[in-house]
């Protein structure tokens, strides 16, 4: 009896060691099976998924084309002009959609991919790579934003050096940004020159109620317009870069899926997302006053990117394993980078540019409408994460 009492703790210790080991072997084998791409999907249907992918290509293509075409084609219409309150409110809604895409969708997908159990614990579980790559992307976007602005200012300074001397002292000759001469687009706007005039112009209540002199109003309008329009040129190009970078990823994600249960909500979510993302980009292109050929190329490039990603994903779906370490790492890093770009562009170049402008501060009704549309766009796009 004394022998059994002495042996019992030893047996408990041995059984305690064996039980966790055997229980951990099953999840490990299941994980290896999943990572090898043999996970069972009760909703898997290759033929139905293929039909839905063609529907997705058509739906996303039409939504993107419609979204980017509305501000480009309708900029000369009364209700769709880029300087109208309706356009500002719609652009605020689109900015909310882009912001939610970066924070709720792309950042979440990136975190899920880079923390997937199929990845080795070191280094992916030892450091918050998702936030790090998003931060790097935001900082690089800031640098690109700055370099692009400097480049266009220097380019315009060289192009108009001779004309500037002829216009010195002439208050009647006001150059409108985007005015084309000899088929080219001239970008005007020196920050130092604009800042000099702002310090001498009325602000606040007087600026909103037009108590400045006519000459001051002309100079203020010219300087603010020059700098703002220069920003639209840079913003439209950087924004397209950010949109295209994640459009390929979301297109591939839909294309490689063989589950109709996954594809159906993605079609609605991506079509909604593509429409308003295109509207925001089209608005920036329209405000930048590109030539028709340049605007058309940028619009087509945006509209075709996601459908092209779906087509590529469909082509490689038979041999593609989304749970392989290489696929997870590539998806996570690209989603993180795209998230940083979109969050920066939405906050800095879309929301702050419009919501901190003099026009917004002088129009209370426009403030209420724009903030409501901003929150509505962000809320609706965030709610789509429930299904997609």
């Amino acid at each position: 009896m004394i022998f059994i009492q002495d042996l019992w703790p030893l047996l408990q210790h041995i059984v305690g060691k064996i039980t966790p080991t055997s229980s951990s072997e099953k999840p490990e084998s299941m994980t290896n099976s999943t990572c090898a791409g043999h996970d069972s999907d009760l909703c898997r249907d290759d033929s139905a998924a293929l039909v839905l992918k063609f529907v997705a290509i058509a739906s996303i293509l039409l939504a993107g084309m419609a979204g980017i075409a509305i501000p480009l084609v309708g900029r000369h219409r009364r209700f769709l002009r880029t300087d109208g309150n309706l356009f500002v409110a719609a652009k605020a809604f689109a900015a909310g959609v882009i912001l939610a895409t970066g924070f709720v969708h792309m950042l979440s997908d990136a975190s899920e991919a880079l923390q997937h159990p199929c990845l080795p614990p070191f280094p992916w579980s030892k450091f918050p790579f998702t936030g790090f790559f998003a931060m790097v992307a935001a900082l690089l976007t800031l640098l690109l934003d700055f370099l692009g602005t400097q480049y266009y200012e220097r380019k315009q300074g060289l192009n108009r050096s001779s004309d500037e001397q002829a216009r010195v002292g002439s208050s009647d000759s006001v150059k409108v940004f985007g005015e084309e001469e000899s088929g080219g687009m001239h970008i005007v706007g020196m920050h130092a020159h604009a800042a000099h005039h702002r310090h001498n112009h009325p602000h606040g209540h007087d600026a909103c109620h037009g108590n400045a002199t006519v000459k001051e109003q002309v100079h203020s309008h010219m300087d603010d317009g020059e700098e703002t329009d220069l920003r639209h040129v840079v913003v439209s190009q950087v924004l397209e870069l950010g949109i295209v970078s994640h459009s390929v990823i979301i297109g591939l994600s839909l294309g490689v899926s063989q589950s109709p249960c996954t594809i159906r909500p993605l079609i609605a979510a991506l079509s909604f997302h593509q429409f308003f993302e295109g509207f925001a980009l089209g608005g920036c292109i329209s405000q930048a006053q590109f030539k028709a050929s340049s605007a058309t190329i940028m619009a087509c490039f945006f509209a075709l990117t996601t459908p092209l990603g779906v087509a590529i994903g469909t082509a490689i779906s038979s041999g593609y394993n989304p749970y392989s370490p290489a696929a997870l790492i590539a998806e996570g890093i690209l989603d993180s980078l795209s998230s940083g770009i979109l969050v920066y562009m939405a906050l800095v170049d879309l929301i702050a540019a419009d919501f901190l402008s003099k026009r917004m501060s002088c129009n209370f009704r426009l403030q209420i409408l724009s903030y409501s549309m901003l929150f509505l766009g962000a809320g609706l796009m965030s709610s789509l994460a429930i299904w997609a």
Side-chain angles (χ1 to χ4, degrees):
M1 188 71 178
I2 297 175
F3 174 74
I4 295 175
Q5 288 178 348
D6 293 337
L7 187 61
W8 181 247
L10 179 61
L11 290 173
Q12 283 183 321
H13 180 68
I14 294 173
V15 171
K17 280 190 172 182
I18 293 174
T19 304
T21 304
S22 58
S23 63
S24 63
E25 286 177 356
K26 185 175 181 182
E28 184 179 356
S29 62
M30 290 174 62
T31 302
N32 290 337
S33 175
T34 301
C35 296
H38 300 299
D39 54 320
S40 59
D41 186 356
L42 298 177
C43 196
R44 182 185 177 101
D45 188 339
D46 293 3
S47 59
L50 183 61
V51 173
L52 287 174
K53 289 173 188 178
F54 284 111
V55 174
I57 291 175
S59 175
I60 294 172
L61 179 62
L62 290 175
M65 291 174 60
I68 199 168
I70 288 175
L72 291 177
V73 176
R75 58 185 170 182
H76 300 301
R77 305 286 181 180
R78 192 171 72 134
F79 294 107
L80 296 174
R81 290 178 58 184
T82 56
D83 58 349
N85 291 344
L86 180 61
F87 176 82
V88 174
K91 191 179 174 185
F93 183 91
V97 170
I98 294 178
L99 186 64
T101 300
F103 270 125
V104 180
H105 293 270
M106 306 305 296
L107 203 61
S108 175
D109 292 345
S111 180
E112 182 180 350
L114 293 180
Q115 296 177 1
H116 201 279
C118 293
L119 289 180
F122 182 82
W124 303 106
S125 62
K126 305 299 182 182
F127 185 79
F129 284 101
T130 303
F132 174 75
F133 285 124
M135 178 192 69
V136 169
L139 293 177
L140 290 178
T141 306
L142 171 64
L143 179 61
L144 183 61
D145 213 351
F146 172 77
L147 293 177
T149 303
Q150 294 295 312
Y151 167 77
Y152 282 121
E153 285 185 343
R154 289 195 186 111
K155 180 180 177 182
Q156 179 57 26
L158 292 175
N159 288 341
R160 68 175 188 135
S161 58
S162 58
D163 295 338
E164 185 71 21
Q165 306 245 347
R167 289 204 308 268
V168 172
S170 174
S171 59
D172 296 331
S173 176
V174 178
K175 177 73 173 178
V176 178
F177 172 80
E179 183 177 341
E180 297 179 3
E181 297 175 356
S182 304
M185 183 188 68
H186 295 273
I187 301 169
V188 184
M190 294 295 177
H191 293 290
H193 180 69
H196 170 74
H197 280 285
R198 283 196 195 92
H199 287 303
N200 297 295
H201 290 163
H203 295 278
H205 184 274
D206 290 339
C208 290
H209 291 80
N211 293 334
T213 65
V214 175
K215 182 178 179 181
E216 287 175 337
Q217 290 179 2
V218 169
H219 278 290
S220 178
H221 176 75
M222 180 181 67
D223 295 330
D224 290 341
E226 287 172 356
E227 186 175 4
T228 301
D229 291 334
L230 172 63
R231 294 294 306 134
H232 288 312
V233 174
V234 180
V235 166
S236 60
Q237 296 175 344
V238 178
L239 180 60
E240 177 146 15
L241 176 65
I243 290 174
V244 166
S245 64
H246 86 273
S247 293
V248 176
I249 301 301
I250 59 179
L252 283 172
S253 299
L254 190 152
V256 299
S257 176
Q258 300 292 356
S259 171
C261 299
T262 301
I263 296 175
R264 287 192 191 98
L266 278 177
I267 294 175
L270 295 185
S271 298
F272 176 85
H273 162 266
Q274 198 78 350
F275 177 85
F276 286 102
E277 211 168 50
F279 187 91
L281 178 61
C284 292
I285 295 174
S286 178
Q287 289 174 316
Q289 302 184 30
F290 284 105
K291 291 189 296 183
S293 58
S294 300
T296 302
I297 292 173
M298 294 179 70
C300 292
F301 192 57
F302 161 78
L304 293 174
T305 304
T306 305
L308 183 62
V310 176
I312 295 174
T314 303
I316 66 174
S317 59
S318 58
Y320 178 78
N321 178 18
Y323 300 107
S324 67
L328 289 170
I329 292 172
E331 178 184 353
I333 292 176
L334 291 175
D335 279 346
S336 299
L337 296 175
S338 301
S339 173
I341 295 173
L342 292 181
V343 169
Y344 173 89
M345 296 302 299
L347 289 175
V348 177
D349 288 330
L350 294 178
I351 297 175
D354 287 341
F355 283 73
L356 301 180
S357 66
K358 184 186 298 183
R359 175 184 182 181
M360 185 74 71
S361 64
C362 295
N363 191 333
F364 181 72
R365 285 187 298 179
L366 182 60
Q367 293 174 29
I368 297 298
L369 178 61
S370 298
Y371 274 102
S372 300
M373 295 299 287
L374 175 66
F375 294 146
L376 180 62
L380 288 178
M381 192 63 202
S382 298
S383 65
L384 289 178
I386 300 173
W387 300 280

